[in-house]
Amino acid sequence: KNEVEQSPQNLTAQEGEFITINCSYSVGISALHWLQQHPGGGIVSLFMLSSGKKKHGRLIATINIQEKHSSLHITASHPRDSAVYICAVRSLIQGAQKLVFGQGTRLTINP
Amino acid sequence: EAQVTQNPRYLITVTGKKLTVTCSQNMNHEYMSWYRQDPGLGLRQIYYSMNVEVTDKGDVPEGYKVSRKEKRNFPLILESPSPNQTSLYFCASSRPANSPYEQYFGPGTRLTVT
């Protein structure tokens, strides 16, 4: 079982829909990152959070430390939101702080 | 502009021909790392560096070498590339690894080994 699990793996929606991507993890963490990877391949950091909730434009990220779960929400989705969204947790593994990545969620927003 | 640069962006090479992928950051970050991304496997860490002259293995270090002689540069060396090293490679940097700082990623290097 992977230490970081994302769901769904693939998501197709219509423009304007409210999107939720989930991330569950099984290790102790100091922070959780949400990353965005566009078809061109580059990776951009969207959020880093260790508690509560953060909002940036139409994107909202929440984390529940007790339940070891985080969600990324996109309101009023747009075709330009089409990308792979990756959850990564920062965890102490074998004495070193490391990033452990989920498999990613491929989001497609149709016009 | 704060950024992480990688070169080359695309490379096709043959088995056994030594190559180096360069990585440079202009943010004075202590921590730098190399990842490879493969379909179905996600991102996996190859090597990381906590600071100048301090490097350590990640999850998949076999077949790779790194060096950190200067704070801004962290090259990835493939001494004898093999087809199983065909992948998309990312360099990343951040403030100290023992604190949850934001990671900055380079644009990626797509390597094909024939």
Side-chain angles (χ1 to χ4, degrees):
Chain A
K1 187 180 187 297
N2 292 333
E3 292 162 316
V4 181
E5 297 273 1
Q6 287 184 236
S7 63
Q9 289 189 323
N10 293 282
L11 178 57
T12 300
Q14 291 299 122
E15 183 173 356
E17 286 189 38
F18 181 83
I19 303 299
T20 295
I21 299 171
N22 297 299
C23 176
S24 296
Y25 53 92
S26 57
V27 294
I29 70 169
S30 56
L32 182 143
H33 300 255
W34 280 104
L35 310 171
Q36 181 191 55
Q37 185 174 26
H38 274 286
I43 297 175
V44 174
S45 178
L46 297 175
F47 294 104
M48 182 184 65
L49 62 166
S50 52
S51 65
K53 176 180 176 178
K54 285 190 177 181
K55 185 175 189 292
H56 186 227
R58 295 180 294 106
L59 274 60
I60 303 166
T62 64
I63 188 168
N64 185 319
I65 297 294
Q66 286 73 30
E67 294 186 5
K68 295 190 174 181
H69 181 269
S70 175
S71 293
L72 176 68
H73 305 286
I74 305 175
T75 61
S77 60
H78 191 275
R80 65 175 175 267
D81 297 325
S82 297
V84 175
Y85 292 85
I86 301 168
C87 171
V89 300
R90 184 175 293 278
S91 185
L92 187 63
I93 297 174
Q94 296 178 337
Q97 287 282 346
K98 297 181 121 178
L99 273 185
V100 182
F101 297 88
Q103 297 288 348
T105 295
R106 185 174 299 278
L107 174 65
T108 303
I109 303 296
N110 293 319
Chain B
E1 181 192 351
Q3 61 181 353
V4 179
T5 56
Q6 292 179 230
N7 282 293
R9 295 288 313 279
Y10 302 91
L11 180 60
I12 300 174
T13 189
V14 296
T15 299
K17 186 177 181 182
K18 181 179 178 180
L19 66 92
T20 299
V21 184
T22 64
C23 172
S24 184
Q25 50 91 6
N26 62 1
M27 295 166 279
N28 203 35
H29 284 167
E30 287 83 0
Y31 183 82
M32 297 185 74
S33 182
W34 276 103
Y35 302 95
R36 60 177 289 174
Q37 186 179 38
D38 302 289
L41 297 176
L43 283 153
R44 294 178 292 168
Q45 190 177 51
I46 303 170
Y47 269 95
Y48 64 95
S49 170
M50 304 281 278
N51 213 324
V52 176
E53 302 290 3
V54 182
T55 63
D56 209 345
K57 296 176 181 178
D59 299 315
V60 288
E62 295 78 20
Y64 304 94
K65 284 175 57 177
V66 293
S67 68
R68 186 91 182 271
K69 292 182 168 52
E70 306 165 281
K71 200 170 187 179
R72 64 183 293 129
N73 295 323
F74 190 44
L76 180 69
I77 302 155
L78 284 72
E79 293 270 2
S80 183
S82 62
N84 65 12
Q85 293 178 296
T86 292
S87 187
L88 180 58
Y89 291 86
F90 289 98
C91 179
S93 74
S94 72
R95 296 285 301 281
N98 58 355
S99 299
Y101 287 102
E102 183 176 346
Q103 289 261 316
Y104 291 81
F105 287 84
T109 295
R110 190 168 294 279
L111 172 66
T112 302
V113 183
T114 61

